[in-house]
Amino acid sequence: MKSSVEIVKAPEGHSGAGFFASSFDEVIGIARSNSLWPLPFATSCCGIEFMATMGSHYDIARFGSERPSFSPRQADILMVMGTIAKKMAPIVKQVYLQMAEPRWVMAMGACASSGGIFDSYSVLQGIDRIIPVDVYVPGCPPRPEQVIDGLMQIQELARNESLRRRNSDEYQQLLQSYNIQ
Amino acid sequence: MLTNQEVAEDLLKKFGDDVFDFEEPYGLLTLTTTREQAIPMLEYLFHHEKFQANFLTDLTGIHYPDSEGKEFAVVYHVHSLVHNFRVRIKVFLAEADIHIPTATGLYASANWMERETYDFFGILFDGHPNLKRILNIEEMDYFPMRRQYPLEDSTREDKIDALFGR
């Protein structure tokens, strides 16, 4: 019987009898992209939607995000889900700073992306005011399928970006613009 | 069972001209008093042999920007758990002299509520042990619930009328 389980294809490279040669960029990119540990920073209803995404029905583990990391030290993606009040902003930033490179950020839902309906004195108008964001997932709240699509886009980033991107001038300037060393 | 009439008459007898503007919206006895008599009145109701109004349900502020000399109000809701009887006490303050004595001596629960009222309206509770912001960021330099700010930030460019169908 033909299995419906797909495994990741081998990267491009040279193979011969008893050897296979490829570049670290390719291999490490594949390894990273299929083992992204998310840190769920859930503050409201989007967090509920993430629970569905994480649960057995939608099962984010199929994409290598088996283990939600509740410690920023071991996390690869910061998933910010829900309204971030201005008082919460320094905490989001601190969690981001505690994460080790390489790190990605997903803003899930309208509130994390732009403040959403909360055009208010107390609400941060999008987390990109304090930390750089890689992928924005729209919706109020987004469906689990959208969250998975967002995760797959981060997988694409992890797979294709240069391992040294995070040493690039562009990236350094980006962090500098957020006052992050 | 306590009646509004009974409590109102008792307060009138005790506080005389310092208690006025009686109302009964939705059956809730509402009255106004002066800044000086606010705490004595809460204490009176608390220690009253019969009323025993021993629970501070809520303490908050109101801003009436157009009423001159009475721009701010502090509202106390007290509840007698013994009789299931509630009373609402209002005190009006002028913006130029926005001070009122603290109720923390009587109700420990007034501590956070007074901080919240200070945080949002800037009302100063004299004698409060720790009168600083409680919900908003500490760097905030205004009192957001005062009715002097537009509902939407008019400098924003991303929330344009066309996108919102208006």
Side-chain angles (χ1 to χ4, degrees), chain A residues 18-139:
Chain A
F19 80 92
F20 176 80
S22 183
S23 68
F24 273 132
D25 260 13
E26 294 271 355
V27 176
I28 294 173
I30 286 174
R32 280 179 179 173
S33 71
N34 291 293
S35 179
L36 289 168
W37 287 0
L39 191 160
F41 195 103
T43 53
S44 43
C45 32
C46 281
I48 306 290
E49 216 63 15
F50 174 74
M51 294 171 203
T53 314
M54 204 176 63
S56 54
H57 192 90
Y58 291 98
D59 196 9
I60 207 170
R62 293 178 293 149
F63 302 87
S65 300
E66 178 69 50
R67 172 185 178 275
S69 177
F70 294 96
S71 150
R73 305 285 184 202
Q74 280 83 36
D76 301 303
I77 315 177
L78 178 62
M79 296 177 78
V80 181
M81 302 173 277
T83 320
I84 301 298
K86 282 180 181 163
K87 212 171 174 179
M88 186 67 97
I91 297 152
V92 177
K93 184 157 184 172
Q94 186 176 351
V95 167
Y96 178 77
L97 292 177
Q98 286 172 341
M99 289 170 65
E101 291 281 7
R103 57 188 166 184
W104 294 270
V105 177
M106 182 200 289
M108 174 179 167
C111 292
S113 302
S114 71
I117 60 169
F118 301 103
D119 189 353
S120 169
Y121 60 91
S122 57
V123 174
L124 190 68
Q125 300 296 302
I127 58 163
D128 53 8
R129 304 259 170 139
I130 50 161
I131 54 174
V133 175
D134 292 281
V135 170
Y136 299 85
V137 179

Side-chain angles (χ1 to χ4, degrees), chain B residues 37-83:
Chain B
Q37 292 304 323
I39 303 305
M41 184 176 289
L42 291 174
E43 282 172 351
Y44 178 72
L45 288 167
F46 187 101
H47 296 297
H48 193 283
E49 205 170 89
K50 184 160 180 218
F51 302 161
Q52 301 174 66
N54 51 5
F55 182 69
L56 181 67
T57 311
D58 192 20
L59 189 169
T60 188
I62 317 177
H63 188 200
Y64 296 109
D66 298 329
S67 96
E68 207 171 312
K70 297 199 287 186
E71 285 90 352
F72 288 91
V74 177
V75 187
Y76 303 89
H77 288 233
V78 289
H79 188 182
S80 167
L81 294 170
V82 180
H83 300 284

